[in-house]
Amino acid sequence: MRAVLATGPGALTVTRVPDPAPARDGVVVAVRACGICGTDLHLLSGELGEDRFPLIPGHEPWGEVVAVGAEVSGYRAGDLVAVDPSLHCGACDPCRRGRGNMCERWQAIGATRPGAWAEFTAVPAANLHRLEPGFPLAVAPLAEPVACAERGLRRLDPRPDEPAIVYGAGTMGLILAILLDARGVGPVTVVEVNPARRELAARLTGAEVRAPEEAADLRAPWVIEATGNPAAFEQALASVARAGTLLVFGVANPGARAAVSPHRIYQDELTIVGSMAILHSFPSAVDTLRRHAERLAPLVTDRYRLDDVEAALALLRSGATIKTVLTPEEPS
Ligand SMILES: [Zn+2]
Ligand SMILES: [Zn+2]
């Protein structure tokens, strides 16, 4: 099959590799589309460790089941599925406490095991989520990012009819703003540095949108930091109303530091929560996509063939895309 192979930091090739076979408890999925995201850029640069290479990236696939392992029941060839990339061992202490995203032997499809920037990908049947007939396939590439967003919103646990602020109008900030509104939380304000992305946020989320310098007086009980930038984190924390909660969703550089007032956290009884990847949130993400497909579909903005992966990555780095997907087929 054709696949994108990352052979070392910054080194990609589109090549032929052997077709995958299903494990006894797994299936092979013919990939219809697989998203690319910021995590892939970190991975490809070698920041997450050079022991990951060589690797077929791609952790946001959906597609069609084409081969089924001997021990798999409940799936057959022709089923359409989205794939949860999380591989939790199930045996370590965090896994046994129901906190698989903290797994001591954490792995993920497309991050530590072969992924889906390819014509086919072999995955455990336990990672499949069925896309029933009639499912709005235009939003299928958003299953993984929406599952991450759902996990974050469970951590934030906002109340309806109360204001919220989202820092960052990247892909995840836009998804989070839309899902807050869909849950009746609001009014929602999006704070974003980049004017082009502010325009996108206004058009796609329906939220009020401001530049950071216009947001100094904003306060809300529910605040999300979705940039990974320490300066945005400081502003986000400052904008949490008394007794409010800050969700730290953006992925900061591990060495980044921000100034925090312990007194204010005490005095105002602030809550700060983190959210890391997906935990038990994939099934509800598939439901959310079905219910809110019309609002979420415009977020899938760009499609590239596997051969054009370098152009797709350049577009992602430029910031001029929301969700770019790779597709083994000719994009229609
Ligand atoms: Zn991703
Ligand atoms: Zn584990």
Side-chain angles (χ1 to χ4, degrees):
M1 67 170 180
R2 305 273 297 161
V4 176
L5 193 64
T7 52
L12 274 184
T13 151
V14 185
T15 185
R16 293 204 83 81
V17 299
D19 284 353
R24 295 184 67 79
D25 62 351
V27 306
V28 171
V29 172
V31 178
R32 294 276 186 90
C34 182
I36 70 177
C37 80
T39 304
D40 295 312
L41 297 181
H42 293 295
L43 179 78
L44 294 171
S45 72
E47 276 169 60
L48 305 183
E50 298 194 17
D51 54 342
R52 305 264 184 118
F53 304 115
L55 179 76
I56 300 172
H59 60 271
E60 302 179 357
W62 76 275
E64 179 181 341
V65 173
V66 292
V68 178
E71 292 167 9
V72 174
S73 59
Y75 288 96
R76 56 185 182 185
D79 287 346
L80 298 182
V81 291
V83 179
D84 180 347
S86 318
L87 298 170
H88 306 153
C89 79
C92 71
D93 185 66
C95 278
R96 291 164 70 118
R97 291 175 191 272
R99 296 299 299 261
N101 60 338
M102 301 286 118
C103 175
E104 291 167 5
R105 289 179 282 272
W106 183 90
Q107 298 215 35
I109 294 159
T112 62
R113 301 247 297 253
W117 292 358
E119 288 180 274
F120 301 99
T121 188
V123 299
N127 289 60
L128 300 179
H129 294 269
R130 188 185 305 281
L131 305 176
E132 301 287 354
F135 185 89
L137 297 173
V139 292
L142 297 174
E144 195 270 352
V146 167
C148 293
E150 292 264 337
R151 165 71 184 150
L153 291 179
R154 273 184 211 169
R155 293 282 287 160
L156 183 66
D157 198 19
R159 282 196 284 267
D161 298 314
E162 294 189 355
I165 308 171
V166 179
Y167 284 81
T171 312
M172 296 312 305
L174 295 172
I175 289 173
L176 285 159
I178 290 169
L179 295 189
L180 283 169
D181 184 58
R183 287 168 182 224
V185 182
V188 178
T189 304
V190 174
V191 180
E192 165 63 43
V193 179
N194 179 317
R197 297 202 73 94
R198 283 204 294 276
E199 192 273 319
L200 271 179
R203 185 156 51 81
L204 295 172
T205 69
E208 185 186 336
V209 181
R210 295 195 193 180
E213 61 273 18
E214 301 164 344
D217 299 333
L218 270 184
R219 295 289 179 276
W222 312 108
V223 179
I224 300 177
E225 199 309 286
T227 73
N229 179 312
F233 169 87
E234 289 179 4
Q235 189 174 359
L237 185 58
S239 66
V240 180
R242 296 193 79 186
T245 303
L246 172 66
L247 168 66
V248 182
F249 190 94
V251 184
N253 181 311
R257 295 290 180 270
V260 171
S261 160
H263 182 267
R264 189 166 171 256
I265 294 171
Y266 149 76
Q267 168 109 337
D268 290 352
E269 286 203 343
L270 303 187
T271 304
I272 302 175
V273 297
S275 171
M276 210 294 283
I278 293 167
L279 185 66
H280 310 146
S281 53
F282 218 101
S284 61
V286 172
D287 295 340
T288 295
L289 286 170
R290 189 188 303 111
R291 290 187 60 210
H292 301 291
E294 263 179 52
R295 291 192 69 184
L296 291 164
L299 302 187
V300 184
T301 46
D302 299 279
R303 293 180 171 273
Y304 285 84
R305 296 177 310 134
L306 291 178
D307 286 326
D308 299 326
V309 61
E310 293 283 8
L313 290 167
L315 183 70
L316 179 61
R317 286 191 193 94
S318 78
T321 177
I322 301 175
K323 177 54 72 182
T324 295
V325 302
L326 293 177
T327 170
E329 303 164 1
E330 286 293 320
S332 52

